[in-house]
Amino acid sequence: MSSEDAPPDPYANPLVFGQRLQILRTRKGMTREQLGGFLGKSGSWVKGVETGRLKTPKLDMVLRVAELLRVRDLSELTGDQSVHVELFSGPGHPRLAAVKAAVDSFPLTTRHEAPPPAYLRARLARAWAVRHSAPNHREAIGALLPDLIPDAQLAVRQAETAPERRAAQVVLAEVYSLCQFFVAYQPDAALLWRVAERGLVAAQESEDPHVIGVAAWLAAQAHRDAGPAHFDAADAVNLEALTYLEPLLPDASDDVLAITGALTFEAGYTAARRGQTGTAWRYWDQARAMADRLPEEYYHPVTSFSRAIMGAHAVTVAVELHQGGESVRQAAAADAVTIPSRPRRARHRIEEARGYHLDGQPEAALATLSQAHEAAPETIRYNGYAKRIVFEEAESKSPARRRRASELAVKLGLLAA
């Protein structure tokens, strides 16, 4: 392709909004009809905006477009370099550099002895417990990972027998799983993929069905969150893992049953992102049946899969299908159940807020986002959906709503106090 034929770079030239929209949409592998459908508009409406026949939409629609195209900085879409709104990743957690250095390390010449496996497992269990219980969970696990990662790597290198090596790979795979929770929504996509891929490799080497399922669950999420062009890859990983696990279910442990249920729901989540209503709810029903086979108090330590989480999952499906009324009804049904994990509880509140926003209840959306902030400030701080609602309501015609949204924006670090 000659330079004359190459598509323009939206960051190199002062392109108008419509041109930037077309380029960014194309890069995400989304058709005009798909984007229009997600926005409640037609493909011809999208074409009109892209070609300049229709004027630039209002802020609420611009933010919805940015959300769907996974635009990290609003200036990439608007072209206004004075508007730097980092939607899906902040400037990066203060501990990101240390975690990245640990992931990138390659301890070939380390002389000291690896910690005993039981000690590593105890440290890992403590890290998961902290991840679920601390309001500043990223800070907490970000402090633990720089030492935990190289120690787990070293344990694999120093394992002397095949069983010892497989056991060490179990720990290493779970360390990478924990690490993926930290690097998600951080401004380093390459690091996220490196962690996800290493987790998959370690899981396969472990030959442990539960660990393999967890790694596949996280890899499917990474693919899906990369945008519509990666939905097929998300499904491929997810469904392959389900095919592997399903023959084991008659005699499965609670952990294997739970990760199978989590993967089943993830297939429904991706279907909802595609707008496939029947398929999404069918997978949710299957996942709920698996959850009902688990003990009432069981709670999966990685995915949060449990009986308690299925109501929250129903809210997510309805929200992704843009069913505002249904998401509010599901939120009301789920609200009586307490989710043990603070970050997962905050994530559920954010999903509820999205439902209220879709249903035209902005006051309820802001109140629910405040509850998310109380549960886990570091969850909402890096969540693009929450930021979109806050920024949109900060320009509301209602003075009280503007004030409430602005106060929340200050708490999230989006605006100076």
Side-chain angles (χ1 to χ4, degrees), residues 70 72 87-96 99-100 103 128 131 137-139 141-142 145 175-196 217-226 302 343 347 378-384 387:
R70 308 298 287 179
R72 290 183 173 178
L87 289 170
F88 287 88
S89 63
H93 194 278
R95 294 195 181 272
L96 179 61
V99 173
K100 181 179 186 300
V103 172
W128 279 117
R131 194 258 162 186
H137 54 95
R138 285 184 187 272
E139 172 65 23
I141 65 174
L145 284 168
V175 168
Y176 282 133
S177 295
L178 179 68
C179 187
Q180 189 167 335
F181 277 98
F182 177 85
V183 300
Y185 302 108
Q186 295 294 303
D188 194 335
L191 178 62
L192 173 65
W193 282 111
R194 200 149 61 248
V195 170
W217 181 79
L218 284 163
Q221 289 194 345
H223 281 296
R224 187 184 61 238
D225 288 347
V302 180
R347 167 70 187 280
E378 288 195 335
T379 294
I380 188 172
R381 186 171 297 133
Y382 292 95
N383 187 281
K387 292 179 184 181

Side-chain angles (χ1 to χ4, degrees), residues 95 123 126-127 130 139-149 178:
R95 294 195 181 272
R123 285 167 61 191
R126 175 173 171 266
V130 167
E139 172 65 23
I141 65 174
L144 298 173
L145 284 168
D147 290 330
L148 191 55
I149 292 169
L178 179 68

Side-chain angles (χ1 to χ4, degrees), residues 42-58:
S42 64
S44 61
W45 179 87
V46 175
K47 182 178 180 180
V49 174
E50 291 182 345
T51 59
R53 180 172 56 82
L54 299 177
K55 63 183 180 180
T56 300
K58 293 183 179 180

